[in-house]
PDB file of all heavy atoms in Angstrom:
ATOM      1  N   LEU A 257      28.600 -19.362 -18.148  1.00 82.00           N
ATOM      2  CA  LEU A 257      29.292 -18.234 -17.536  1.00 82.00           C
ATOM      3  C   LEU A 257      28.345 -17.462 -16.623  1.00 82.00           C
ATOM      4  O   LEU A 257      28.680 -17.140 -15.478  1.00 82.00           O
ATOM      5  CB  LEU A 257      29.859 -17.314 -18.615  1.00 82.00           C
ATOM      6  CG  LEU A 257      30.469 -15.997 -18.129  1.00 82.00           C
ATOM      7  CD1 LEU A 257      31.761 -16.258 -17.361  1.00 82.00           C
ATOM      8  CD2 LEU A 257      30.725 -15.073 -19.300  1.00 82.00           C
ATOM      9  N   VAL A 258      27.157 -17.189 -17.117  1.00 80.00           N
ATOM     10  CA  VAL A 258      26.193 -16.423 -16.329  1.00 80.00           C
ATOM     11  C   VAL A 258      25.701 -17.232 -15.134  1.00 80.00           C
ATOM     12  O   VAL A 258      25.724 -16.759 -13.994  1.00 80.00           O
ATOM     13  CB  VAL A 258      25.006 -15.968 -17.213  1.00 80.00           C
ATOM     14  CG1 VAL A 258      23.881 -15.417 -16.369  1.00 80.00           C
ATOM     15  CG2 VAL A 258      25.479 -14.943 -18.220  1.00 80.00           C
ATOM     16  N   THR A 259      25.271 -18.478 -15.367  1.00 81.00           N
ATOM     17  CA  THR A 259      24.681 -19.297 -14.313  1.00 81.00           C
ATOM     18  C   THR A 259      25.698 -19.712 -13.253  1.00 81.00           C
ATOM     19  O   THR A 259      25.392 -19.666 -12.056  1.00 81.00           O
ATOM     20  CB  THR A 259      24.046 -20.564 -14.931  1.00 81.00           C
ATOM     21  OG1 THR A 259      23.087 -20.158 -15.909  1.00 81.00           O
ATOM     22  CG2 THR A 259      23.376 -21.410 -13.883  1.00 81.00           C
ATOM     23  N   ASN A 260      26.881 -20.115 -13.686  1.00 86.00           N
ATOM     24  CA  ASN A 260      27.840 -20.704 -12.754  1.00 86.00           C
ATOM     25  C   ASN A 260      28.893 -19.740 -12.229  1.00 86.00           C
ATOM     26  O   ASN A 260      29.579 -20.060 -11.261  1.00 86.00           O
ATOM     27  CB  ASN A 260      28.544 -21.895 -13.422  1.00 86.00           C
ATOM     28  CG  ASN A 260      27.553 -22.950 -13.839  1.00 86.00           C
ATOM     29  OD1 ASN A 260      26.634 -23.280 -13.110  1.00 86.00           O
ATOM     30  ND2 ASN A 260      27.714 -23.475 -15.036  1.00 86.00           N
ATOM     31  N   VAL A 261      29.056 -18.574 -12.864  1.00 85.00           N
ATOM     32  CA  VAL A 261      30.095 -17.644 -12.424  1.00 85.00           C
ATOM     33  C   VAL A 261      29.491 -16.301 -11.995  1.00 85.00           C
ATOM     34  O   VAL A 261      29.661 -15.879 -10.849  1.00 85.00           O
ATOM     35  CB  VAL A 261      31.155 -17.424 -13.538  1.00 85.00           C
ATOM     36  CG1 VAL A 261      32.200 -16.414 -13.108  1.00 85.00           C
ATOM     37  CG2 VAL A 261      31.817 -18.741 -13.911  1.00 85.00           C
ATOM     38  N   LEU A 262      28.787 -15.641 -12.907  1.00 81.00           N
ATOM     39  CA  LEU A 262      28.324 -14.285 -12.619  1.00 81.00           C
ATOM     40  C   LEU A 262      27.171 -14.231 -11.611  1.00 81.00           C
ATOM     41  O   LEU A 262      27.187 -13.391 -10.706  1.00 81.00           O
ATOM     42  CB  LEU A 262      27.919 -13.586 -13.919  1.00 81.00           C
ATOM     43  CG  LEU A 262      29.040 -13.403 -14.946  1.00 81.00           C
ATOM     44  CD1 LEU A 262      28.510 -12.773 -16.215  1.00 81.00           C
ATOM     45  CD2 LEU A 262      30.171 -12.590 -14.366  1.00 81.00           C
ATOM     46  N   MET A 263      26.184 -15.093 -11.749  1.00 79.00           N
ATOM     47  CA  MET A 263      25.042 -15.051 -10.825  1.00 79.00           C
ATOM     48  C   MET A 263      25.441 -15.404  -9.390  1.00 79.00           C
ATOM     49  O   MET A 263      24.983 -14.738  -8.453  1.00 79.00           O
ATOM     50  CB  MET A 263      23.900 -15.943 -11.324  1.00 79.00           C
ATOM     51  CG  MET A 263      23.211 -15.399 -12.563  1.00 79.00           C
ATOM     52  SD  MET A 263      22.619 -13.703 -12.421  1.00 79.00           S
ATOM     53  CE  MET A 263      21.144 -13.956 -11.478  1.00 79.00           C
ATOM     54  N   PRO A 264      26.288 -16.418  -9.162  1.00 82.00           N
ATOM     55  CA  PRO A 264      26.729 -16.644  -7.776  1.00 82.00           C
ATOM     56  C   PRO A 264      27.504 -15.446  -7.213  1.00 82.00           C
ATOM     57  O   PRO A 264      27.347 -15.109  -6.036  1.00 82.00           O
ATOM     58  CB  PRO A 264      27.634 -17.878  -7.877  1.00 82.00           C
ATOM     59  CG  PRO A 264      27.126 -18.603  -9.064  1.00 82.00           C
ATOM     60  CD  PRO A 264      26.704 -17.528 -10.019  1.00 82.00           C
ATOM     61  N   LEU A 265      28.324 -14.800  -8.050  1.00 83.00           N
ATOM     62  CA  LEU A 265      29.026 -13.598  -7.581  1.00 83.00           C
ATOM     63  C   LEU A 265      28.043 -12.489  -7.237  1.00 83.00           C
ATOM     64  O   LEU A 265      28.168 -11.830  -6.201  1.00 83.00           O
ATOM     65  CB  LEU A 265      30.004 -13.112  -8.659  1.00 83.00           C
ATOM     66  CG  LEU A 265      31.264 -13.948  -8.878  1.00 83.00           C
ATOM     67  CD1 LEU A 265      32.047 -13.418 -10.071  1.00 83.00           C
ATOM     68  CD2 LEU A 265      32.129 -13.960  -7.633  1.00 83.00           C
ATOM     69  N   LEU A 266      27.054 -12.286  -8.091  1.00 79.00           N
ATOM     70  CA  LEU A 266      26.038 -11.271  -7.828  1.00 79.00           C
ATOM     71  C   LEU A 266      25.270 -11.601  -6.560  1.00 79.00           C
ATOM     72  O   LEU A 266      25.009 -10.726  -5.728  1.00 79.00           O
ATOM     73  CB  LEU A 266      25.081 -11.158  -9.020  1.00 79.00           C
ATOM     74  CG  LEU A 266      23.971 -10.108  -8.891  1.00 79.00           C
ATOM     75  CD1 LEU A 266      24.573  -8.709  -8.829  1.00 79.00           C
ATOM     76  CD2 LEU A 266      23.001 -10.218 -10.045  1.00 79.00           C
ATOM     77  N   GLY A 267      24.904 -12.865  -6.399  1.00 78.00           N
ATOM     78  CA  GLY A 267      24.199 -13.284  -5.186  1.00 78.00           C
ATOM     79  C   GLY A 267      25.018 -13.029  -3.938  1.00 78.00           C
ATOM     80  O   GLY A 267      24.492 -12.597  -2.903  1.00 78.00           O
ATOM     81  N   THR A 268      26.323 -13.278  -4.008  1.00 82.00           N
ATOM     82  CA  THR A 268      27.203 -13.033  -2.864  1.00 82.00           C
ATOM     83  C   THR A 268      27.303 -11.540  -2.573  1.00 82.00           C
ATOM     84  O   THR A 268      27.274 -11.123  -1.412  1.00 82.00           O
ATOM     85  CB  THR A 268      28.611 -13.605  -3.144  1.00 82.00           C
ATOM     86  OG1 THR A 268      28.494 -14.999  -3.408  1.00 82.00           O
ATOM     87  CG2 THR A 268      29.542 -13.384  -1.975  1.00 82.00           C
ATOM     88  N   LEU A 269      27.401 -10.738  -3.640  1.00 82.00           N
ATOM     89  CA  LEU A 269      27.521  -9.288  -3.465  1.00 82.00           C
ATOM     90  C   LEU A 269      26.273  -8.677  -2.825  1.00 82.00           C
ATOM     91  O   LEU A 269      26.372  -7.712  -2.069  1.00 82.00           O
ATOM     92  CB  LEU A 269      27.803  -8.607  -4.802  1.00 82.00           C
ATOM     93  CG  LEU A 269      29.188  -8.848  -5.394  1.00 82.00           C
ATOM     94  CD1 LEU A 269      29.277  -8.224  -6.787  1.00 82.00           C
ATOM     95  CD2 LEU A 269      30.270  -8.262  -4.499  1.00 82.00           C
ATOM     96  N   ILE A 270      25.104  -9.226  -3.142  1.00 75.00           N
ATOM     97  CA  ILE A 270      23.869  -8.654  -2.587  1.00 75.00           C
ATOM     98  C   ILE A 270      23.398  -9.427  -1.356  1.00 75.00           C
ATOM     99  O   ILE A 270      22.257  -9.328  -0.949  1.00 75.00           O
ATOM    100  CB  ILE A 270      22.751  -8.560  -3.647  1.00 75.00           C
ATOM    101  CG1 ILE A 270      22.373  -9.920  -4.205  1.00 75.00           C
ATOM    102  CG2 ILE A 270      23.131  -7.605  -4.749  1.00 75.00           C
ATOM    103  CD1 ILE A 270      21.185  -9.885  -5.151  1.00 75.00           C
ATOM    104  N   GLY A 271      24.312 -10.190  -0.774  1.00 77.00           N
ATOM    105  CA  GLY A 271      24.016 -10.840   0.499  1.00 77.00           C
ATOM    106  C   GLY A 271      23.226 -12.127   0.387  1.00 77.00           C
ATOM    107  O   GLY A 271      22.438 -12.444   1.277  1.00 77.00           O
ATOM    108  N   GLY A 272      23.407 -12.863  -0.683  1.00 73.00           N
ATOM    109  CA  GLY A 272      22.736 -14.149  -0.826  1.00 73.00           C
ATOM    110  C   GLY A 272      21.261 -14.034  -1.155  1.00 73.00           C
ATOM    111  O   GLY A 272      20.504 -14.983  -0.996  1.00 73.00           O
ATOM    112  N   PHE A 273      20.834 -12.880  -1.620  1.00 70.00           N
ATOM    113  CA  PHE A 273      19.428 -12.654  -1.964  1.00 70.00           C
ATOM    114  C   PHE A 273      19.103 -13.386  -3.260  1.00 70.00           C
ATOM    115  O   PHE A 273      19.696 -13.121  -4.298  1.00 70.00           O
ATOM    116  CB  PHE A 273      19.185 -11.152  -2.130  1.00 70.00           C
ATOM    117  CG  PHE A 273      17.748 -10.778  -2.324  1.00 70.00           C
ATOM    118  CD1 PHE A 273      16.887 -10.720  -1.253  1.00 70.00           C
ATOM    119  CD2 PHE A 273      17.259 -10.485  -3.584  1.00 70.00           C
ATOM    120  CE1 PHE A 273      15.563 -10.367  -1.423  1.00 70.00           C
ATOM    121  CE2 PHE A 273      15.943 -10.137  -3.775  1.00 70.00           C
ATOM    122  CZ  PHE A 273      15.091 -10.080  -2.692  1.00 70.00           C
ATOM    123  N   ASP A 274      18.186 -14.349  -3.195  1.00 71.00           N
ATOM    124  CA  ASP A 274      17.789 -15.127  -4.370  1.00 71.00           C
ATOM    125  C   ASP A 274      16.441 -14.631  -4.861  1.00 71.00           C
ATOM    126  O   ASP A 274      15.433 -14.761  -4.156  1.00 71.00           O
ATOM    127  CB  ASP A 274      17.727 -16.620  -4.025  1.00 71.00           C
ATOM    128  CG  ASP A 274      17.436 -17.499  -5.221  1.00 71.00           C
ATOM    129  OD1 ASP A 274      17.385 -16.976  -6.352  1.00 71.00           O
ATOM    130  OD2 ASP A 274      17.271 -18.714  -5.026  1.00 71.00           O
ATOM    131  N   LEU A 275      16.456 -14.048  -6.048  1.00 72.00           N
ATOM    132  CA  LEU A 275      15.217 -13.491  -6.599  1.00 72.00           C
ATOM    133  C   LEU A 275      14.130 -14.541  -6.757  1.00 72.00           C
ATOM    134  O   LEU A 275      12.951 -14.258  -6.523  1.00 72.00           O
ATOM    135  CB  LEU A 275      15.499 -12.844  -7.962  1.00 72.00           C
ATOM    136  CG  LEU A 275      16.401 -11.613  -7.957  1.00 72.00           C
ATOM    137  CD1 LEU A 275      16.695 -11.181  -9.384  1.00 72.00           C
ATOM    138  CD2 LEU A 275      15.763 -10.490  -7.185  1.00 72.00           C
ATOM    139  N   THR A 276      14.517 -15.753  -7.146  1.00 74.00           N
ATOM    140  CA  THR A 276      13.505 -16.783  -7.405  1.00 74.00           C
ATOM    141  C   THR A 276      12.829 -17.238  -6.120  1.00 74.00           C
ATOM    142  O   THR A 276      11.689 -17.679  -6.158  1.00 74.00           O
ATOM    143  CB  THR A 276      14.124 -17.996  -8.120  1.00 74.00           C
ATOM    144  OG1 THR A 276      15.186 -18.516  -7.332  1.00 74.00           O
ATOM    145  CG2 THR A 276      14.628 -17.617  -9.491  1.00 74.00           C
ATOM    146  N   GLU A 277      13.510 -17.106  -4.996  1.00 76.00           N
ATOM    147  CA  GLU A 277      12.888 -17.489  -3.728  1.00 76.00           C
ATOM    148  C   GLU A 277      12.100 -16.337  -3.114  1.00 76.00           C
ATOM    149  O   GLU A 277      11.032 -16.533  -2.537  1.00 76.00           O
ATOM    150  CB  GLU A 277      13.950 -17.945  -2.726  1.00 76.00           C
ATOM    151  CG  GLU A 277      14.570 -19.279  -3.064  1.00 76.00           C
ATOM    152  CD  GLU A 277      15.630 -19.693  -2.061  1.00 76.00           C
ATOM    153  OE1 GLU A 277      15.693 -19.098  -0.963  1.00 76.00           O
ATOM    154  OE2 GLU A 277      16.401 -20.596  -2.386  1.00 76.00           O
ATOM    155  N   LYS A 278      12.628 -15.121  -3.216  1.00 76.00           N
ATOM    156  CA  LYS A 278      12.042 -13.973  -2.522  1.00 76.00           C
ATOM    157  C   LYS A 278      10.904 -13.313  -3.286  1.00 76.00           C
ATOM    158  O   LYS A 278      10.010 -12.745  -2.678  1.00 76.00           O
ATOM    159  CB  LYS A 278      13.117 -12.918  -2.242  1.00 76.00           C
ATOM    160  CG  LYS A 278      14.292 -13.424  -1.453  1.00 76.00           C
ATOM    161  CD  LYS A 278      13.908 -13.752  -0.044  1.00 76.00           C
ATOM    162  CE  LYS A 278      15.159 -14.182   0.717  1.00 76.00           C
ATOM    163  NZ  LYS A 278      14.892 -14.568   2.058  1.00 76.00           N
ATOM    164  N   LEU A 279      10.950 -13.355  -4.613  1.00 81.00           N
ATOM    165  CA  LEU A 279       9.953 -12.615  -5.386  1.00 81.00           C
ATOM    166  C   LEU A 279       8.973 -13.498  -6.159  1.00 81.00           C
ATOM    167  O   LEU A 279       8.201 -12.992  -6.952  1.00 81.00           O
ATOM    168  CB  LEU A 279      10.657 -11.645  -6.350  1.00 81.00           C
ATOM    169  CG  LEU A 279      11.442 -10.520  -5.686  1.00 81.00           C
ATOM    170  CD1 LEU A 279      12.131  -9.672  -6.744  1.00 81.00           C
ATOM    171  CD2 LEU A 279      10.557  -9.658  -4.812  1.00 81.00           C
ATOM    172  N   ASN A 280       9.013 -14.789  -5.953  1.00 83.00           N
ATOM    173  CA  ASN A 280       7.995 -15.661  -6.529  1.00 83.00           C
ATOM    174  C   ASN A 280       6.870 -15.809  -5.507  1.00 83.00           C
ATOM    175  O   ASN A 280       7.119 -16.070  -4.334  1.00 83.00           O
ATOM    176  CB  ASN A 280       8.563 -17.033  -6.877  1.00 83.00           C
ATOM    177  CG  ASN A 280       9.376 -17.016  -8.154  1.00 83.00           C
ATOM    178  OD1 ASN A 280       9.418 -16.027  -8.860  1.00 83.00           O
ATOM    179  ND2 ASN A 280      10.023 -18.122  -8.452  1.00 83.00           N
ATOM    180  N   PHE A 281       5.634 -15.610  -5.939  1.00 87.00           N
ATOM    181  CA  PHE A 281       4.489 -15.663  -5.035  1.00 87.00           C
ATOM    182  C   PHE A 281       3.625 -16.868  -5.348  1.00 87.00           C
ATOM    183  O   PHE A 281       3.229 -17.074  -6.497  1.00 87.00           O
ATOM    184  CB  PHE A 281       3.651 -14.380  -5.164  1.00 87.00           C
ATOM    185  CG  PHE A 281       4.444 -13.137  -4.882  1.00 87.00           C
ATOM    186  CD1 PHE A 281       4.866 -12.322  -5.914  1.00 87.00           C
ATOM    187  CD2 PHE A 281       4.778 -12.793  -3.582  1.00 87.00           C
ATOM    188  CE1 PHE A 281       5.607 -11.180  -5.667  1.00 87.00           C
ATOM    189  CE2 PHE A 281       5.524 -11.655  -3.323  1.00 87.00           C
ATOM    190  CZ  PHE A 281       5.932 -10.837  -4.368  1.00 87.00           C
ATOM    191  N   VAL A 282       3.320 -17.646  -4.318  1.00 87.00           N
ATOM    192  CA  VAL A 282       2.466 -18.817  -4.482  1.00 87.00           C
ATOM    193  C   VAL A 282       1.022 -18.345  -4.439  1.00 87.00           C
ATOM    194  O   VAL A 282       0.544 -17.835  -3.427  1.00 87.00           O
ATOM    195  CB  VAL A 282       2.738 -19.864  -3.377  1.00 87.00           C
ATOM    196  CG1 VAL A 282       1.785 -21.045  -3.525  1.00 87.00           C
ATOM    197  CG2 VAL A 282       4.188 -20.313  -3.412  1.00 87.00           C
ATOM    198  N   LEU A 283       0.327 -18.497  -5.560  1.00 90.00           N
ATOM    199  CA  LEU A 283      -1.083 -18.114  -5.629  1.00 90.00           C
ATOM    200  C   LEU A 283      -1.975 -19.223  -5.079  1.00 90.00           C
ATOM    201  O   LEU A 283      -2.995 -18.957  -4.441  1.00 90.00           O
ATOM    202  CB  LEU A 283      -1.481 -17.796  -7.065  1.00 90.00           C
ATOM    203  CG  LEU A 283      -0.760 -16.609  -7.713  1.00 90.00           C
ATOM    204  CD1 LEU A 283      -1.196 -16.456  -9.162  1.00 90.00           C
ATOM    205  CD2 LEU A 283      -1.021 -15.334  -6.935  1.00 90.00           C
ATOM    206  N   LYS A 284      -1.561 -20.461  -5.350  1.00 91.00           N
ATOM    207  CA  LYS A 284      -2.343 -21.604  -4.893  1.00 91.00           C
ATOM    208  C   LYS A 284      -1.352 -22.715  -4.548  1.00 91.00           C
ATOM    209  O   LYS A 284      -0.614 -23.175  -5.421  1.00 91.00           O
ATOM    210  CB  LYS A 284      -3.298 -22.057  -5.996  1.00 91.00           C
ATOM    211  CG  LYS A 284      -4.187 -23.204  -5.632  1.00 91.00           C
ATOM    212  CD  LYS A 284      -5.103 -23.553  -6.803  1.00 91.00           C
ATOM    213  CE  LYS A 284      -5.856 -24.814  -6.488  1.00 91.00           C
ATOM    214  NZ  LYS A 284      -6.573 -25.300  -7.650  1.00 91.00           N
ATOM    215  N   PRO A 285      -1.301 -23.136  -3.281  1.00 90.00           N
ATOM    216  CA  PRO A 285      -0.342 -24.185  -2.916  1.00 90.00           C
ATOM    217  C   PRO A 285      -0.739 -25.524  -3.541  1.00 90.00           C
ATOM    218  O   PRO A 285      -1.894 -25.739  -3.903  1.00 90.00           O
ATOM    219  CB  PRO A 285      -0.406 -24.231  -1.398  1.00 90.00           C
ATOM    220  CG  PRO A 285      -1.709 -23.615  -1.037  1.00 90.00           C
ATOM    221  CD  PRO A 285      -2.090 -22.688  -2.145  1.00 90.00           C
ATOM    222  N   GLU A 286       0.252 -26.406  -3.645  1.00 89.00           N
ATOM    223  CA  GLU A 286      -0.054 -27.720  -4.199  1.00 89.00           C
ATOM    224  C   GLU A 286      -0.897 -28.515  -3.198  1.00 89.00           C
ATOM    225  O   GLU A 286      -0.780 -28.330  -1.990  1.00 89.00           O
ATOM    226  CB  GLU A 286       1.213 -28.481  -4.578  1.00 89.00           C
ATOM    227  CG  GLU A 286       2.001 -29.050  -3.426  1.00 89.00           C
ATOM    228  CD  GLU A 286       3.224 -29.828  -3.881  1.00 89.00           C
ATOM    229  OE1 GLU A 286       3.536 -29.858  -5.075  1.00 89.00           O
ATOM    230  OE2 GLU A 286       3.871 -30.403  -3.012  1.00 89.00           O
ATOM    231  N   VAL A 287      -1.750 -29.364  -3.751  1.00 90.00           N
ATOM    232  CA  VAL A 287      -2.615 -30.206  -2.926  1.00 90.00           C
ATOM    233  C   VAL A 287      -2.143 -31.646  -3.080  1.00 90.00           C
ATOM    234  O   VAL A 287      -1.978 -32.133  -4.196  1.00 90.00           O
ATOM    235  CB  VAL A 287      -4.101 -30.063  -3.357  1.00 90.00           C
ATOM    236  CG1 VAL A 287      -4.996 -30.977  -2.538  1.00 90.00           C
ATOM    237  CG2 VAL A 287      -4.547 -28.618  -3.256  1.00 90.00           C
ATOM    238  N   THR A 288      -1.908 -32.295  -1.933  1.00 89.00           N
ATOM    239  CA  THR A 288      -1.476 -33.694  -1.957  1.00 89.00           C
ATOM    240  C   THR A 288      -2.468 -34.553  -1.181  1.00 89.00           C
ATOM    241  O   THR A 288      -3.185 -34.069  -0.302  1.00 89.00           O
ATOM    242  CB  THR A 288      -0.079 -33.844  -1.310  1.00 89.00           C
ATOM    243  OG1 THR A 288      -0.111 -33.336   0.016  1.00 89.00           O
ATOM    244  CG2 THR A 288       0.975 -33.096  -2.098  1.00 89.00           C
ATOM    245  N   ASP A 289      -2.491 -35.814  -1.526  1.00 89.00           N
ATOM    246  CA  ASP A 289      -3.345 -36.727  -0.773  1.00 89.00           C
ATOM    247  C   ASP A 289      -2.546 -37.279   0.416  1.00 89.00           C
ATOM    248  O   ASP A 289      -1.404 -36.899   0.653  1.00 89.00           O
ATOM    249  CB  ASP A 289      -3.874 -37.848  -1.677  1.00 89.00           C
ATOM    250  CG  ASP A 289      -2.779 -38.693  -2.286  1.00 89.00           C
ATOM    251  OD1 ASP A 289      -1.622 -38.574  -1.863  1.00 89.00           O
ATOM    252  OD2 ASP A 289      -3.088 -39.481  -3.209  1.00 89.00           O
ATOM    253  N   LYS A 290      -3.148 -38.197   1.182  1.00 88.00           N
ATOM    254  CA  LYS A 290      -2.508 -38.736   2.379  1.00 88.00           C
ATOM    255  C   LYS A 290      -1.239 -39.516   2.052  1.00 88.00           C
ATOM    256  O   LYS A 290      -0.330 -39.593   2.873  1.00 88.00           O
ATOM    257  CB  LYS A 290      -3.485 -39.624   3.134  1.00 88.00           C
ATOM    258  CG  LYS A 290      -4.613 -38.845   3.755  1.00 88.00           C
ATOM    259  CD  LYS A 290      -5.539 -39.736   4.527  1.00 88.00           C
ATOM    260  CE  LYS A 290      -6.676 -38.889   5.082  1.00 88.00           C
ATOM    261  NZ  LYS A 290      -7.562 -39.645   5.932  1.00 88.00           N
ATOM    262  N   ALA A 291      -1.148 -40.057   0.846  1.00 88.00           N
ATOM    263  CA  ALA A 291       0.022 -40.832   0.450  1.00 88.00           C
ATOM    264  C   ALA A 291       1.158 -39.923  -0.037  1.00 88.00           C
ATOM    265  O   ALA A 291       2.251 -40.395  -0.316  1.00 88.00           O
ATOM    266  CB  ALA A 291      -0.354 -41.824  -0.660  1.00 88.00           C
ATOM    267  N   GLY A 292       0.904 -38.636  -0.150  1.00 86.00           N
ATOM    268  CA  GLY A 292       1.933 -37.701  -0.601  1.00 86.00           C
ATOM    269  C   GLY A 292       1.931 -37.479  -2.096  1.00 86.00           C
ATOM    270  O   GLY A 292       2.799 -36.785  -2.617  1.00 86.00           O
ATOM    271  N   GLU A 293       0.970 -38.054  -2.789  1.00 88.00           N
ATOM    272  CA  GLU A 293       0.847 -37.851  -4.227  1.00 88.00           C
ATOM    273  C   GLU A 293       0.241 -36.476  -4.507  1.00 88.00           C
ATOM    274  O   GLU A 293      -0.706 -36.067  -3.852  1.00 88.00           O
ATOM    275  CB  GLU A 293      -0.047 -38.932  -4.856  1.00 88.00           C
ATOM    276  CG  GLU A 293       0.480 -40.343  -4.701  1.00 88.00           C
ATOM    277  CD  GLU A 293       1.664 -40.614  -5.594  1.00 88.00           C
ATOM    278  OE1 GLU A 293       1.690 -40.099  -6.724  1.00 88.00           O
ATOM    279  OE2 GLU A 293       2.572 -41.340  -5.151  1.00 88.00           O
ATOM    280  N   VAL A 294       0.797 -35.764  -5.485  1.00 86.00           N
ATOM    281  CA  VAL A 294       0.301 -34.432  -5.838  1.00 86.00           C
ATOM    282  C   VAL A 294      -0.998 -34.570  -6.607  1.00 86.00           C
ATOM    283  O   VAL A 294      -1.061 -35.229  -7.634  1.00 86.00           O
ATOM    284  CB  VAL A 294       1.341 -33.655  -6.675  1.00 86.00           C
ATOM    285  CG1 VAL A 294       0.790 -32.304  -7.113  1.00 86.00           C
ATOM    286  CG2 VAL A 294       2.641 -33.481  -5.906  1.00 86.00           C
ATOM    287  N   ILE A 295      -2.046 -33.929  -6.075  1.00 88.00           N
ATOM    288  CA  ILE A 295      -3.346 -33.937  -6.748  1.00 88.00           C
ATOM    289  C   ILE A 295      -3.417 -32.745  -7.701  1.00 88.00           C
ATOM    290  O   ILE A 295      -3.758 -32.894  -8.870  1.00 88.00           O
ATOM    291  CB  ILE A 295      -4.506 -33.886  -5.726  1.00 88.00           C
ATOM    292  CG1 ILE A 295      -4.461 -35.133  -4.837  1.00 88.00           C
ATOM    293  CG2 ILE A 295      -5.844 -33.757  -6.426  1.00 88.00           C
ATOM    294  CD1 ILE A 295      -5.419 -35.098  -3.684  1.00 88.00           C
ATOM    295  N   THR A 296      -3.124 -31.564  -7.199  1.00 89.00           N
ATOM    296  CA  THR A 296      -3.044 -30.373  -8.053  1.00 89.00           C
ATOM    297  C   THR A 296      -1.721 -29.666  -7.742  1.00 89.00           C
ATOM    298  O   THR A 296      -1.373 -29.477  -6.589  1.00 89.00           O
ATOM    299  CB  THR A 296      -4.214 -29.388  -7.805  1.00 89.00           C
ATOM    300  OG1 THR A 296      -4.232 -29.004  -6.439  1.00 89.00           O
ATOM    301  CG2 THR A 296      -5.537 -29.988  -8.187  1.00 89.00           C
TER     302      THR A 296
END
């Protein structure tokens, strides 16, 4: 109910603002090698 009904409604009401995208801060980006494999 919360994930599939209430949160999308809340997101629509506040203009599509996604807390997980806007307020998560990357302290250290992932490191990949030339082949695209994640090193860290």
Side-chain angles (χ1 to χ4, degrees):
L257 173 69
V258 169
T259 303
N260 301 317
V261 177
L262 298 177
M263 290 306 282
L265 288 174
L266 181 65
T268 302
L269 290 174
I270 61 174
F273 187 79
D274 185 6
L275 294 174
T276 57
E277 289 179 15
K278 303 292 183 182
L279 295 178
N280 283 353
F281 302 104
V282 177
L283 297 177
K284 182 179 173 189
E286 75 178 5
V287 178
T288 57
D289 61 11
K290 291 182 182 185
E293 298 287 324
V294 177
I295 298 172
T296 57

